[in-house]
Amino acid sequence: MTKKLFVKTYGCQMNVYDSARMADVLAPLGYGPGETPEDADMVILNTCHIREKASEKVFSELGRLRQIKADKDGGLIIAVAGCVAQAEGEEILRRAPFVDIVLGPQTYHRLPEMVAQAARAGGAVLDTEFPIEPKFDFLPDARADGPAAFLSVQEGCDKFCTFCVVPYTRGGEYSRPAPAILAEARKLADQGVVEITLLGQNVNGWHGDGKSFGWLIRQVAKIDGIERIRFTTSHPRDMDDDLIAAHGEVSKLMPFLHLPVQAGSNRMLEAMNRRHDRDFYFGLVEKLRAARPDLALSSDFIVGFPGETDADFADTLDLVRQVGFVQTYSFKYSSRPGTPAAGMPHQVDEAVKEARLAELMDLLQDQTNRFNAHCLGLEMAVVLDRVGKHPGQMIGRSPYMQPVHVDNVAHLAGKLVNVRISEIHPRSLRGEVIHSERIRA
Ligand code: SAM
Ligand code: SF4
């Protein structure tokens, strides 16, 4: 590796996966990992367009990169990738003419050509097509970076929730063929990966080769070396009976499910075009818990969607209590240009959104605390995948996605170990190793 690449990732796990794959695509050109934009030959901002704030951050980061590029006498290639690039390609080049490459999420397999073209032409390259050829057919083998890996199986979305830009920036639903997914999973296992998270904007809508997502999970579970399987993000509408049954039948599938509901009021769910009501969601939770009684649930919520009243918000709080979520991601509604909700009447005041978000987060923190407290003294399997702050300390994820800090285990880095939970902290747990040999999840 003779050149350095610095990738800054915004947004979801799909972007984390895409950033790693962009690095894989550029490795044959001599690009290895760089620590900072200052020491890099090329910087990629892999952007997120989901909320207004996420997009704005990109333009302020570009201001900083402009200076770094000037300090290096132009010796820095700047690329903007991801959903902001897809949605605002021309605008980026207008506002930041020092950017060399703008590319959407579906064309990063063409990055080597774009780098060559930018060097040749000396002008900016813009590629925000939705090509016929799926990029996955042109990517090199994924390189593992530790014992836990993401694997993208599905992209795009046809659901058109009225607040969301994903169907426009990522395009329509596409399922990767099963043989390609399973080959990638085997290669990751060969490199020591023990935990795979299957990714998609609507991951459980996967229907490659006419098969169901439950079937795919069962195939991944057959791969030697893969001990744990997770998936995200799923849509309630695509939670079929086979996938529900898999939660009871596939022991490698972790007992933690992120199943976004967005709101608890039927009126809001309808205005959001979520295609399900609260009773449908309660019914799903009941079936899932019948299949896997220790299942912990997590969700996404939007507060302050246009027209949301105090009564609608009270329905959300009620749903949160009834389901007993142990973790959530809650957001204030952010108006996105081009989406139907942006033009809806009765947009909610920022102060009201703030107050509702604070109330929802307090309730959820309470529920998380109660769940964590119940874990004290339990034995759990943890994949030690990150180095902690203290010498010898490692951090891993419990089956329920809680970060678990374990001391004096540097020699067990990357291993799946059994720990007993000995302390509970507001955002993490502490555990003591009981078995250090590899065990099943
Ligand atoms: N496909 C997933 C689903 O159906 O829930 C969600 C994927 S989306 C990338 C991640 C989350 O961002 C959504 O669940 C939603 O809560 C949030 N989100 C999307 N658009 C938003 C907006 N305009 N304002 C606030 N939050 C938004
Ligand atoms: Fe966006 Fe998810 Fe709705 Fe698709 S299902 S439009 S990705 S929130």
Side-chain angles (χ1 to χ4, degrees), residues 347-403:
Q347 299 280 328
V348 174
D349 258 19
E350 210 43 39
V352 173
K353 287 186 198 169
E354 290 278 358
R356 287 181 187 162
L357 183 67
E359 190 173 350
L360 177 59
M361 286 173 76
D362 277 355
L363 171 61
L364 289 162
Q365 188 60 53
D366 244 33
Q367 293 188 183
T368 307
N369 293 348
R370 256 181 286 148
F371 179 68
N372 286 349
H374 135 96
C375 294
L376 188 64
L378 293 187
E379 196 177 313
M380 287 183 185
V382 171
V383 179
L384 299 173
D385 62 347
R386 278 177 298 150
V387 175
K389 266 201 302 215
H390 305 295
Q393 189 185 58
M394 295 291 303
I395 307 173
R397 292 269 168 195
S398 76
Y400 306 104
M401 286 300 275
Q402 299 138 303

Side-chain angles (χ1 to χ4, degrees), residues 50 156-167 201-202 233 235 262 272-274:
I50 202 87
C157 181
D158 297 335
K159 297 262 186 317
F160 290 94
C161 298
T162 52
F163 50 80
C164 185
V165 290
V166 166
Q201 260 92 30
N202 248 300
T233 300
H235 192 285
Q262 313 296 353
M272 288 175 169
N273 190 31
R274 286 294 291 178

